[in-house]
Amino acid sequence: MSDNIPYEMQMEIMKKLPAKSLIQFRSVCKAWKSLIDSPDFITQYNGQHTNPQHLFLTYCDCEDKYVSIADDHTFPHHKVPLTFPQWLLDYDYDLIGCSHGLLCLSYYEDQTRIAIIWNILIRKAIAVLVPNVAGGEVYKNVLGFGVCRETTDPKIVKITPIRSQSAMESVTWHAEVFTLSTGTWRSPYSGNLPRSSIEFDSYCDQVVTIDGSIYWLAADRADVDRGFRFDYTIISFDFTREEFKEVSLPDSLAHQRYKDILSVLKLKESLVVLERVNDLGYDVWMMEDGVSKLFTKLFTINVSTHCAKVKGFRKSGEPIISFSFSIYDNRNKVVYEPYSKHNDNVVIDNIFASYYLIPYMETLLLLNQPDLTVHNQVETLKFEDDWLLEPSFSYGFNGDSFPEDDYFMDYYGM
């Protein structure tokens, strides 16, 4: 840019450019690098700029593979191999969430749970030690990841179920929030927590982050004659207000008998609930403005085999489905056009054990952070004599299973 163009105008022009171009422009001159790397520019850019959507796909083809697929007119042919964060290469991991172009994954090293926040575009990652030990024991917790809409500060929320020895049936939830700007854990702004009857699932298809809020598909335990039952509901956490809320599902969804009938995904920046109505079909329900029980049925996805699973949605709204005749067979990823009701555009074929398919936008977040930084300012949970903390999840910790493997084994009764 000419020196005759005012600095403020240069900044406004750069805000309209794709993130990938800005990364390249940092090499042009020191002034541009200083501008693009500045916290103010990164915050303003990510707060108002919408980059093209990509699809992050992990799968196994003799060895683990990681690719980014451009979700544009070239789809599905523009695939770029990715370098996975080195921390995760030797461990089983699970997906915590994706927000504003950042992926958050976690793994266990010995008894320590570690969360990794990763910017795929700029190949930067940071590690966050997660508090998970109290009274000398590793305890169960549920993690969520998102970015504050106002400050673009990445955050991790951790919720822990605590039972009292004097009231074993009662659960109290304890919440903590990690903010990248401070590098520490603290209590959330709001003191409201999920009800004691709520139980969370940690599978990746039971949680999704949309526009600075995370949504869990949770179970609400209710006592009935001679036992209890579970009704399903949505628990949300707003990363700006740091507040939990509950969104009730329509009765037809809330009263499903089996948990694997329902899953949550993102469709065009909206929350959708997938209901498996039979072996060959899914109904897609969209939440309307966060209003309890106000969900609209958009369409039905018809599939040709019971071993089919909706993995996500393109930016156009087309579902991407994994097909196989057995959970041990190779799988095809296809795009399903819901209105013409046909499958088209094989993305990747002959892949085994597809793990994740995550839509994301390219971002500048983490650009001004040192790569491979470890945030280990862990506040130890004050352990009360009366508390009983649930043991940690087994998957990922012992290396024996993967979240999606458990899902298929459970669903098909294997």
Side-chain angles (χ1 to χ4, degrees):
M1 295 181 187
S2 171
D3 292 337
N4 296 326
I5 300 178
Y7 177 84
E8 292 76 11
M9 187 174 294
Q10 294 185 36
M11 186 174 184
E12 291 303 317
I13 294 174
M14 287 191 174
K15 286 180 186 177
K16 302 180 184 301
L17 300 176
K20 185 175 294 185
S21 299
L22 293 176
I23 297 301
Q24 298 171 341
F25 290 167
R26 295 168 68 246
S27 303
V28 173
C29 64
K30 291 182 178 179
W32 284 11
K33 184 179 186 303
S34 177
L35 168 63
I36 297 169
D37 288 358
S38 67
D40 287 345
F41 180 82
I42 293 174
T43 297
Q44 294 178 35
Y45 178 82
N46 288 283
Q48 71 178 42
H49 193 280
T50 301
N51 279 287
Q53 178 168 291
H54 294 255
L55 298 171
F56 169 71
L57 174 66
T58 72
Y59 65 97
C60 181
D61 183 10
C62 297
E63 61 181 7
D64 289 342
K65 299 287 184 69
Y66 315 94
V67 297
S68 175
I69 305 173
D71 188 7
D72 56 17
H73 66 281
T74 67
F75 180 86
H77 305 294
H78 186 198
K79 307 183 189 75
V80 178
L82 301 173
T83 301
F84 211 49
Q86 64 183 44
W87 283 307
L88 298 168
L89 293 178
D90 297 324
Y91 296 93
D92 289 342
Y93 59 89
D94 55 272
L95 176 72
I96 304 304
C98 177
S99 179
H100 290 65
L102 300 179
L103 265 67
C104 183
L105 309 105
S106 79
Y107 70 100
Y108 285 90
E109 184 174 0
D110 296 326
Q111 292 187 335
T112 302
R113 190 173 191 182
I114 302 172
I116 303 298
I117 302 176
W118 178 33
N119 184 320
I120 296 175
L121 172 65
I122 64 177
R123 301 179 183 178
K124 274 191 177 183
I126 64 168
V128 180
L129 271 63
V130 178
N132 70 323
V133 177
E137 299 292 334
V138 179
Y139 61 85
K140 170 182 174 179
N141 53 49
V142 178
L143 297 183
F145 173 74
V147 173
C148 174
R149 290 185 298 271
E150 294 182 358
T151 65
T152 67
D153 194 4
K155 298 181 180 183
I156 300 172
V157 60
K158 176 178 75 75
I159 46 180
T160 305
I162 299 172
R163 298 184 187 274
S164 171
Q165 295 184 34
S166 59
M168 285 295 293
E169 296 302 318
S170 176
V171 172
T172 299
W173 291 101
H174 178 85
E176 296 170 89
V177 174
F178 172 87
T179 56
L180 182 58
S181 59
T182 64
T184 59
W185 292 87
R186 57 168 174 76
S187 298
Y189 299 144
S190 173
N192 70 315
L193 294 168
R195 291 181 290 110
S196 61
S197 58
I198 296 296
E199 296 191 10
F200 290 88
D201 202 330
S202 62
Y203 289 126
C204 63
D205 58 358
Q206 308 299 339
V207 58
V208 65
T209 304
I210 302 171
D211 190 30
S213 291
I214 190 167
Y215 299 89
W216 286 277
L217 180 62
D220 184 10
R221 176 172 172 156
D223 293 327
V224 295
D225 293 340
R226 292 180 296 179
F228 60 88
R229 74 165 191 267
F230 285 107
D231 292 334
Y232 296 99
T233 187
I234 301 290
I235 301 295
S236 70
F237 181 79
D238 186 300
F239 284 97
T240 300
R241 296 190 296 269
E242 297 186 1
E243 180 180 27
F244 288 96
K245 288 187 177 180
E246 186 170 342
V247 180
S248 298
L249 292 171
D251 290 344
S252 62
L253 300 179
H255 301 325
Q256 287 289 346
R257 184 175 180 183
Y258 301 107
K259 69 175 182 178
D260 298 316
I261 297 297
L262 303 179
S263 58
V264 291
L265 290 170
K266 180 173 73 171
L267 170 59
K268 295 184 177 181
E269 299 306 314
S270 295
L271 173 71
V272 293
V273 176
L274 267 63
E275 177 190 15
R276 186 142 197 170
V277 292
N278 51 52
D279 285 346
L280 300 177
Y282 291 87
D283 284 345
V284 180
W285 298 81
M286 177 178 286
M287 181 177 68
E288 300 289 343
D289 301 322
V291 179
S292 287
K293 295 199 174 183
L294 186 55
F295 283 74
T296 300
K297 180 181 172 181
L298 298 182
F299 49 81
T300 297
I301 302 172
N302 297 307
V303 295
S304 57
T305 171
H306 71 279
C307 290
K309 181 170 171 48
V310 179
K311 302 293 291 185
F313 291 89
R314 292 192 60 196
K315 190 174 183 179
S316 63
E318 297 169 306
I320 300 177
I321 305 170
S322 173
F323 281 99
S324 69
F325 293 102
S326 162
I327 63 171
Y328 302 106
D329 285 344
N330 293 336
R331 298 177 183 168
N332 288 339
K333 285 282 189 302
V334 306
V335 174
Y336 177 86
E337 210 295 313
Y339 300 107
S340 64
K341 299 183 179 181
H342 70 272
N343 301 320
D344 199 3
N345 297 333
V346 174
V347 177
I348 296 179
D349 51 14
N350 297 323
I351 66 175
F352 177 73
S354 170
Y355 301 144
Y356 298 120
L357 179 73
I358 308 298
Y360 74 97
M361 303 288 187
E362 293 180 336
T363 180
L364 297 181
L365 294 176
L366 302 190
L367 184 61
N368 56 350
Q369 297 282 330
D371 192 23
L372 303 180
T373 299
V374 178
H375 294 273
N376 58 3
Q377 300 299 315
V378 176
E379 294 290 336
T380 302
L381 182 63
K382 184 179 178 181
F383 188 77
E384 303 291 345
D385 292 338
D386 190 45
W387 282 6
L388 292 175
L389 300 180
E390 297 184 23
S392 178
F393 295 120
S394 61
Y395 73 76
F397 182 73
N398 60 17
D400 289 337
S401 62
F402 226 87
E404 183 173 308
D405 295 338
D406 294 340
Y407 171 92
F408 276 100
M409 295 295 228
D410 182 49
Y411 189 86
Y412 294 112
M414 303 188 65

